[in-house]
Amino acid sequence: MTIHLERGEQIATITIDRTHRRNALDLASLEDLHAAVVRCVADGTRAIVLTGADGHFCAGADLTELEDVSFTTRLAQVLAHLAAVPVTTVAAIEGSCMGLGMQLALACDVRVVGASARFAVPVARLGLMVDHWTLTRLARLWGEGTARHLVLTGAVLDADDAWRLGFASQQGSLADAQALAARAARLAPLTQAGSKLGFDAQMHDPEAVGRYEAAFARAWASDDLTEGRRAFAERREPSFRGR
């Protein structure tokens, strides 16, 4: 197995384990990763941590299998699904986070970055291109100037750059990422799922805006809102149930 899934009471940790390729993904491991994410959501996991084994997050796609664009087509579907899951996702990043690894980090909601992390989008070194979703997300999370620097010059940035430019949500280790996920898992699920819809909704897309408005109404009519208010008044931690 190249993808390991470890589940706790409310959080799950998915680990990419292809250490002979610095955790670069081939098609089979990409499918296994997707299946693990689907399973987590189906089982009611409240937050997901994505990481890599042996000091590297993911060095990209396994270029020995990239013969045509079919891999990137499937990758786009997997990334879109990961970005849209209705739970908080945390990337715990050390070592190589390049190419496909960067795309996985972009798809996660927050990123915890260790001192050894290195980031790149080396498509211009290979004659490849990434899809528009990746470019848009890259510009949003790194800033457009840095995104252009990464894509057009083949720059390799480090953990300090990620922190200084806002790509890293927090500095730290896998344990720190898991602690962050555990804190998120205790919060209101309807608020988190609805807010994710809002972050990605575009004003010119009435269907996406409508989904956010429906989620907004659901949260305001929920038992969780009643529980949150009661817990605040009683000065205790709320117990949210996602309804």
Side-chain angles (χ1 to χ4, degrees):
M1 293 292 293
T2 59
I3 303 295
H4 305 299
L5 173 58
E6 179 184 352
R7 289 180 294 175
E9 184 176 348
Q10 290 188 312
I11 75 167
T13 301
I14 299 173
T15 303
I16 304 168
D17 187 0
R18 300 188 81 236
T19 54
H20 63 292
R21 301 289 293 173
R22 289 191 300 169
N23 299 325
L25 294 179
D26 59 6
L27 182 58
S29 53
L30 179 67
E31 294 293 357
D32 287 344
L33 174 61
H34 176 66
V37 174
V38 169
R39 182 177 177 185
C40 287
V41 175
D43 288 347
T45 296
R46 292 279 187 93
I48 299 171
V49 177
L50 179 61
T51 192
D54 200 26
H56 291 287
F57 182 66
C58 174
D62 190 337
L63 295 179
T64 62
E65 292 201 1
L66 284 182
E67 297 180 357
D68 56 44
V69 77
S70 60
F71 180 91
T72 60
T73 300
R74 180 55 180 151
L75 173 61
Q77 296 168 346
V78 171
L79 291 170
H81 176 269
L82 175 60
V85 293
V87 301
T88 301
T89 53
V90 181
I93 303 170
E94 295 182 351
S96 294
C97 179
M98 301 184 178
L100 191 156
M102 178 78 89
Q103 291 173 298
L104 290 173
L106 293 170
C108 290
D109 296 310
V110 294
R111 286 148 294 281
V112 176
V113 174
S116 66
R118 297 293 181 270
F119 303 90
V121 186
V123 286
R125 298 178 184 273
L126 301 166
L128 304 175
M129 289 183 67
V130 291
D131 62 2
H132 189 256
W133 178 93
T134 299
L135 292 179
T136 300
R137 202 93 167 180
L138 196 70
R140 282 173 57 188
L141 296 178
W142 280 96
E144 185 168 344
T146 302
R148 288 176 180 265
H149 184 39
L150 284 162
V151 173
L152 301 181
T153 75
V156 178
L157 303 184
D158 62 20
D160 289 339
D161 294 320
W163 180 249
R164 174 175 56 86
L165 295 166
F167 184 67
S169 312
Q170 181 177 315
Q171 295 172 308
S173 63
L174 172 59
D176 295 315
Q178 291 169 323
L180 177 60
R183 292 196 298 274
R186 293 192 292 270
L187 303 179
L190 295 181
T191 299
Q192 293 167 321
S195 297
K196 289 184 67 166
L197 289 174
F199 280 122
D200 288 331
Q202 303 295 321
M203 292 305 297
H204 61 266
D205 184 348
E207 290 187 7
V209 173
R211 288 191 294 271
Y212 175 71
E213 291 175 346
F216 181 91
R218 184 182 178 196
W220 275 90
S222 68
D223 292 340
D224 277 354
L225 175 59
T226 302
E227 165 63 10
R229 286 172 165 170
R230 182 179 295 120
F232 180 79
E234 296 172 357
R235 297 185 178 182
R236 61 172 174 81
E237 288 294 318
S239 179
F240 293 117
R241 304 180 68 181
R243 61 190 188 192

